[in-house]
Amino acid sequence: MALHLLKLIWNRKRANFLIITEILLSFLVLAAVTTVAVHYWRNYQAPLGFSYERVWDVLVRVPRGIESTPEVDRERFARMQRLIDAARQMPEVESIGHLQLGTFRNWQWNSDLTLEDGRRVEYNGNRADDELARTLSITVVDGRWFSREDVGQNWDAIVINRRMAREVFGEARAAGQMMPAEQRPPRPGDAEANRPQRVVGVIEDFRQFGEYSTPANYLIVRNDIVTAAAEPVAAASAEAAHAQASGTAPQPGHARAELPGVLSIRVRPGVTAEFEERLVNTLQAQAPDWSFSMKPTEDIRTEYLRNNYLTPLAILGMLAGFLLLMVALGLSGVLWQNVTQRIRELGLRRAKGADRARIKQQIFLEIALMTGIAMTVGAILLAQVPMLGWLGPVPPVLYAFSLALSAVLLFLLTSFCGWYPSLLATRIPPAEALRYE
Amino acid sequence: MLTNYLTLAWKVLQRRKVFTAISLFGTSFTLVVLTVAVALFDHTLSPMPPEVNFGRTLVMSRARMQGDGNTWQSAPGYKLVNDYARQLPGVELMTVQTAGSLATSFVDGRKIESTLKHTDAEFWRVYQFAFLEGSAYGGADVDSARLVMVINETSRKRFFGGAPAIGRYIDADGQRFRVIGVVRDVPSLRTPSADLYAPLSTQKSKGWQEEYLGDFTPAFLLAQNARPEDVRAELHSRMSTWKSPEKSNWKTLSANLETPFEGMGRNLYPGETDFTRTYGGFLTMLLAGAALMFMALPAINLVNLNVSRIMERASEIGVRKAFGASSRTLVVQFLVENLALTIIGGVMGFLLAGFVLRSINQSGLIPYAALTLNPRIFVWGIALAVVFGLLSGVYPAWRMSRVHPVIALKGTR
């Protein structure tokens, strides 16, 4: 049956070629949309790793430009710490932490490290303080978050997410281990050599770019602005004392600190917007030449997701929807036309004893076969995408699943388009069809 | 002849209403999308106040430092502009402005967030703003860092409820500015758009004069007969003398002067861009490619419909052929018919695009957007409709001309 139908399709190859091309293009559009949709849906399922409920985000902009001397830097760190202390004094504030790169913003620190066994691990990085885990309710699954214990060590304390722990350490326990990374030469602008890093804890995740972003490796470095703000003499002697006590060779320098870009503040329930003005004024009074802008993280998130994910997705979805609707209408029209052109052929079949169901089956099978041909070609084309490395962040398994899903959807679409024409075909009275001119 | 073809096209349109509706829906939808895209481009890249001399304005939107395998790319800093881009031959006027930063103010317990742009005094000469009240600040204000401010219409409404604003004060990020002028809103996609404008020297940061990379958007108004290539060449030759500051690993500093269109091309270019050339051609190709890709599916859909409609007209074609019409005549006839159809679809699409643009304006997705349809966009829309008509008409026309008269007359194949 199928072979015979293939022959029929071949006989009308000119007309069918166009229909197949159209189905093929629709398949490509459908596959792209399904892949994007499935990818975002999967991302949305993964845990965010932190909570933004009752959290305010204070963006701190420190004027650049002044010749960066150690004294200027120390003064800035000290002032930042004074700001944090002042905010913590306010009764509305439950806890306050800081982050170098705020959440739900397109601020990225992309980096990679080469492990001792030669593997390269890419990650997104950030710097945070001891309080951040409490402020943002970050789930620690193994080990601990940063604390005062990490001061004065000859390594930098880091926390990594579960995914990165698995990639670097495999099944072995990550918390408490040194990062088996090769040392690399300092970049231009770096004052001193990189220090070894020690994983003090593993967190569930910290998806800085929100629910729709692709889960990726994440590494947070302890940002110790308190020590950085202290007198260098005191810090150095403390370090030397520690080195003597532990019997290791003294390591030059101490943990490098960076000015945090964002303060995260969790307020008590029932705090109103009036608090915002008071807090900004308090901060502004402490640092008149710095700038502050404050917003609930919830609002930043809404805006961020809208601008980066939802609006582009809605536009894409709308375009694809209209394209497919157009194709559906066009295809039904063409198939309908096909049936009317083949009235004599179908009439002959009816006269020779084929019942309505069989005619219907023929039309449907023909459409299904054409869809199949289009999909085979489409699949060959789409298989090139992963090979060319155009998949980006989409995992190959998910891509394959999306293709299967879009194939099913396409079958449904073309069958739907073929439904009315096939109905039409069954209504042909055999006697009339044979006399048709 | 043409009238004949058009009458025939009209008759054919009326014959199968469903098919006509499907064709028109497909055509008009495709053209709505393309017209909206053209309108967005037109809104960003056409001369309109305050950018009245848009055609001869170049901006320096990106600069780059490189050395030892590291690259730092950002907007240019003041020192780069001051040391290398002042007094370029062929440049009539130049201005230095920041990209605009967010400034927070509180008025009666309400929070107001505004974009604050710091500019020099020439800014008000390069761009011709329409002042509703007061006037701009001058060179003396900038030199002495006076805390004065020009605000836009929306800010006047937000801060003062629309009442006259001259002489009143605005607190932004802890600085108190006196309002000396009110200008009309400028769409946020345009370079000189902001809510508040203040003298360059009132910036909080101290060392902005010393930076090669920063957040400035210098704009250059070329003289009437100056050629952009000459100005670029002069800039490049000056910048090649750049010496990296002490104690830094940076080796080269590069930048270029471009029209906003070329700048957009550079931003979209995958991979590292070359600062000795511009990327306008790349962007043109990208846009043409995207438009053709988008038209492909609807065009094939239309081809399909057209081909099956021709078969209905087999006897008509047969008669015409039998009476000596050449294949060429038939191809022309069918193309004219198809173009008539797509142009009707195009006009419908143009009108629909008006509604889409209005809803974009109202949605506030693009602040201060005033997207409108103008004759320029109409011409573009018709041009796109013609391209689409040809794309979808050539193959069916060719098929039609090839039908054998005997078979056609019999009405079978």
Side-chain angles (χ1 to χ4, degrees):
Chain A
M1 177 80 179
L3 264 180
H4 178 66
L5 284 178
L6 272 180
K7 202 163 157 192
L8 283 181
I9 292 173
W10 180 251
N11 285 343
R12 300 166 43 81
K13 53 187 171 298
R14 275 242 201 101
N16 287 336
F17 172 74
L18 280 172
I19 298 178
I20 289 175
T21 315
E22 188 170 353
I23 298 178
L24 169 64
L25 283 178
S26 321
F27 183 46
L28 298 184
V29 171
L30 204 57
V33 174
T34 323
T35 308
V36 172
V38 169
H39 177 58
Y40 282 131
W41 179 74
R42 283 289 300 172
N43 288 350
Y44 194 78
Q45 304 289 310
L48 187 62
F50 64 93
S51 142
Y52 46 82
E53 195 195 350
R54 283 188 283 121
V55 174
W56 292 70
D57 186 293
V58 183
L59 180 68
V60 184
R61 276 189 309 272
V62 177
R64 298 155 301 118
I66 302 173
E67 197 62 31
S68 173
T69 62
E71 291 73 37
V72 170
D73 284 346
R74 261 205 309 287
E75 206 283 315
R76 282 180 177 164
F77 286 128
R79 190 192 277 194
M80 184 66 83
Q81 192 54 46
R82 281 203 298 280
L83 290 178
I84 293 169
D85 292 338
R88 193 174 282 134
Q89 296 303 314
M90 298 180 77
E92 292 92 343
V93 174
E94 198 173 286
S95 80
I96 173 167
H98 62 73
L99 259 176
Q100 190 187 6
L101 309 171
T103 50
F104 304 111
R105 293 173 195 274
N106 276 332
W107 296 353
Q108 257 193 65
W109 169 16
N110 263 327
S111 191
D112 59 70
L113 48 86
T114 311
L115 298 182
E116 278 157 358
D117 55 11
R119 278 183 299 149
R120 252 182 82 228
V121 179
E122 292 188 15
Y123 62 89
N124 281 316
N126 209 337
R127 291 171 194 274
D129 73 333
D130 299 353
E131 283 291 301
L132 192 79
R134 199 159 75 83
T135 312
L136 295 182
S137 315
I138 299 170
T139 332
V140 179
V141 291
D142 189 14
R144 59 173 174 82
W145 187 256
F146 307 128
S147 72
R148 295 291 304 168
E149 304 169 40
D150 300 324
V151 181
Q153 306 287 359
N154 54 2
W155 35 259
D156 288 350
I158 58 168
V159 156
I160 56 179
N161 68 351
R162 210 198 267 266
R163 171 182 289 263
M164 189 165 179
R166 196 174 309 125
E167 186 163 342
V168 175
F169 298 102
E171 295 305 311
R173 186 162 184 242
Q177 300 226 43
M178 299 302 289
M179 197 60 150
E182 278 180 356
Q183 292 299 307
R184 64 158 152 227
R187 295 160 165 278
D190 277 2
E192 54 211 45
N194 290 328
R195 291 165 19 113
Q197 296 177 318
R198 183 189 179 123
V199 181
V200 299
V202 177
I203 56 175
E204 178 64 51
D205 211 337
F206 189 77
R207 287 168 71 203
Q208 189 196 340
F209 310 106
E211 289 90 337
Y212 294 101
S213 64
T214 313
N217 293 337
Y218 208 86
L219 182 152
I220 304 177
V221 186
R222 181 166 189 265
N223 196 8
D224 189 358
I225 64 170
V226 184
T227 310
E231 285 298 310
V233 195
S237 64
E239 203 167 295
H242 178 83
Q244 251 174 356
S246 60
T248 51
Q251 192 87 20
H254 50 85
R256 207 179 70 169
E258 291 276 343
L259 271 183
V262 160
L263 305 180
S264 283
I265 300 177
R266 183 171 296 237
V267 296
R268 294 190 195 287
V271 168
T272 60
E274 172 270 338
F275 159 72
E276 184 183 351
E277 181 174 0
R278 215 143 35 80
L279 179 67
V280 169
N281 288 340
T282 312
L283 299 177
Q284 198 78 70
Q286 291 270 346
D289 60 338
W290 292 11
S291 298
F292 304 92
S293 52
M294 181 172 179
K295 246 186 190 174
T297 307
E298 175 89 56
D299 294 2
I300 296 177
R301 170 180 173 268
T302 313
E303 200 173 311
Y304 177 82
L305 293 186
R306 194 182 62 213
N307 291 343
N308 289 277
Y309 294 100
L310 302 180
T311 308
L313 264 185
I315 292 175
L316 185 72
M318 238 152 63
L319 288 183
F322 269 105
L323 279 180
L324 292 176
L325 176 64
M326 211 148 64
V327 167
L329 285 173
L331 207 56
S332 349
V334 173
L335 292 174
W336 177 14
Q337 192 78 3
N338 260 352
V339 167
T340 50
Q341 275 173 12
R342 293 167 65 190
I343 282 183
R344 280 188 307 176
E345 175 199 334
L346 298 172
L348 189 61
R349 279 205 70 201
R350 289 279 277 141
K352 292 280 284 175
D355 56 10
R356 284 173 179 225
R358 295 202 64 127
I359 298 286
K360 204 168 183 172
Q361 198 189 1
Q362 180 193 350
I363 302 286
F364 263 121
L365 267 176
E366 272 189 35
I367 296 165
L369 274 175
M370 283 199 275
T371 314
I373 295 169
M375 269 198 262
T376 315
V377 181
I380 294 170
L381 289 178
L382 289 169
Q384 311 304 311
V385 173
M387 290 182 203
L388 290 169
W390 289 352
L391 266 185
V394 182
V397 181
L398 205 138
Y399 181 62
F401 172 76
S402 311
L403 291 195
L405 184 67
S406 55
V408 172
L409 288 175
L410 189 66
F411 263 116
L412 287 178
L413 183 78
T414 50
S415 309
F416 177 75
C417 296
W419 178 75
Y420 184 66
S422 71
L423 201 72
L424 221 59
T426 58
R427 291 203 190 126
I428 302 169
E432 236 172 76
L434 284 173
R435 284 180 48 237
Y436 180 83
E437 219 14 72
Chain B
M1 204 62 188
L2 195 66
T3 358
N4 255 345
Y5 289 170
L6 291 179
T7 327
L8 236 134
W10 183 243
K11 283 275 169 336
V12 173
L13 277 187
Q14 284 174 318
R15 197 172 328 158
R16 284 269 198 168
K17 296 253 166 43
V18 185
F19 275 48
T20 310
I22 294 174
S23 305
L24 279 179
F25 170 77
T27 317
S28 57
F29 165 69
T30 311
L31 293 167
V32 165
V33 173
L34 293 170
T35 311
V36 168
V38 169
L40 275 170
F41 262 88
D42 184 78
H43 188 63
T44 324
L45 300 168
S46 63
M48 62 151 94
E51 293 171 271
V52 283
N53 295 316
F54 190 78
R56 47 193 184 100
T57 309
L58 297 180
V59 294
M60 187 193 283
S61 55
R62 292 238 152 251
R64 181 167 68 201
M65 280 211 259
Q66 275 179 315
D68 288 348
N70 288 287
T71 301
W72 180 13
Q73 189 164 309
S74 106
Y78 191 79
K79 193 169 171 61
L80 190 167
V81 184
N82 211 28
D83 290 2
Y84 299 98
R86 291 253 183 229
Q87 318 276 317
L88 284 167
V91 173
E92 199 175 286
L93 265 177
M94 72 156 292
T95 173
V96 182
Q97 56 188 308
T98 58
S101 58
L102 193 72
T104 312
S105 328
F106 291 97
V107 176
D108 309 328
R110 267 183 315 121
K111 183 166 90 166
I112 300 175
E113 287 188 335
S114 329
T115 328
L116 170 59
K117 203 184 215 358
H118 291 93
T119 76
D120 54 10
E122 285 76 34
F123 180 81
W124 304 105
R125 290 171 60 206
V126 172
Y127 301 116
Q128 305 288 319
F129 278 86
F131 276 85
L132 301 173
E133 276 187 74
S135 59
Y137 38 80
D141 298 309
V142 177
D143 290 340
S144 57
R146 280 180 59 202
L147 290 169
V148 289
M149 194 172 245
V150 173
I151 66 176
N152 70 355
E153 206 178 346
T154 302
S155 298
R156 179 170 73 176
K157 208 174 296 155
R158 281 196 223 149
F159 281 94
F160 310 115
I166 303 297
R168 299 177 72 170
Y169 287 88
I170 284 182
D171 289 307
D173 275 353
Q175 281 174 307
R176 170 161 280 218
F177 293 92
R178 190 165 58 84
V179 177
I180 58 164
V182 181
V183 291
R184 268 197 208 296
D185 293 342
V186 179
S188 67
L189 295 173
R190 314 290 303 208
T191 315
S193 170
D195 297 320
L196 314 171
Y197 303 87
L200 206 56
S201 44
T202 59
Q203 289 183 89
K204 282 182 174 178
S205 40
K206 300 292 180 299
W208 51 273
Q209 279 124 324
E210 301 307 317
E211 292 173 334
Y212 286 109
L213 295 185
D215 68 336
F216 290 94
T217 313
F220 302 80
L221 182 61
L222 300 192
Q224 291 288 2
N225 50 6
R227 296 195 318 149
E229 305 85 70
D230 300 342
V231 183
R232 280 187 200 124
E234 170 67 18
L235 177 77
H236 292 316
S237 84
R238 284 190 192 179
M239 285 186 63
S240 61
T241 63
W242 183 74
K243 290 236 168 25
S244 69
E246 299 260 318
K247 288 191 297 179
S248 103
N249 307 12
W250 302 112
K251 296 271 188 300
T252 59
L253 175 69
S254 34
N256 206 355
L257 298 180
E258 299 169 309
T259 62
F261 184 78
E262 290 163 343
M264 209 181 277
R266 182 184 301 281
N267 284 341
L268 288 173
Y269 191 78
E272 203 156 272
T273 57
D274 177 0
F275 275 93
T276 54
R277 54 167 285 213
T278 53
Y279 288 83
F282 165 74
L283 185 57
T284 311
M285 270 173 44
L286 194 76
L287 291 175
L292 282 178
M293 283 277 280
F294 181 73
M295 281 193 216
L297 190 51
I300 290 193
N301 197 24
L302 208 58
V303 168
N304 254 331
L305 284 172
N306 285 340
V307 167
S308 51
R309 285 182 103 174
I310 293 170
M311 294 313 153
E312 283 190 338
R313 298 167 64 185
S315 42
E316 174 202 330
I317 299 162
V319 170
R320 290 213 55 200
K321 281 209 142 181
F323 279 89
S326 69
S327 292
R328 231 173 101 193
T329 325
L330 285 172
V331 166
V332 170
Q333 180 195 341
F334 192 79
L335 272 182
V336 169
E337 274 181 26
N338 198 50
L339 283 177
L341 180 73
T342 45
I343 286 175
I344 294 174
V347 171
M348 279 168 63
F350 186 74
L351 296 177
L352 284 173
F355 286 104
V356 175
L357 293 179
R358 219 170 55 196
S359 53
I360 294 180
N361 286 346
Q362 281 165 358
S363 72
L365 211 59
I366 307 163
Y368 311 133
L371 293 160
T372 45
L373 295 172
N374 57 34
R376 215 168 26 234
I377 302 175
F378 183 75
V379 171
W380 266 101
I382 294 299
L384 285 167
V386 168
V387 171
F388 186 69
L390 290 177
L391 213 61
S392 61
V394 169
Y395 177 73
W398 180 76
R399 277 287 298 274
M400 178 170 165
S401 68
R402 298 259 304 199
V403 178
H404 201 279
V406 180
I407 294 173
L409 274 177
K410 225 182 134 214
T412 59
R413 295 192 298 150

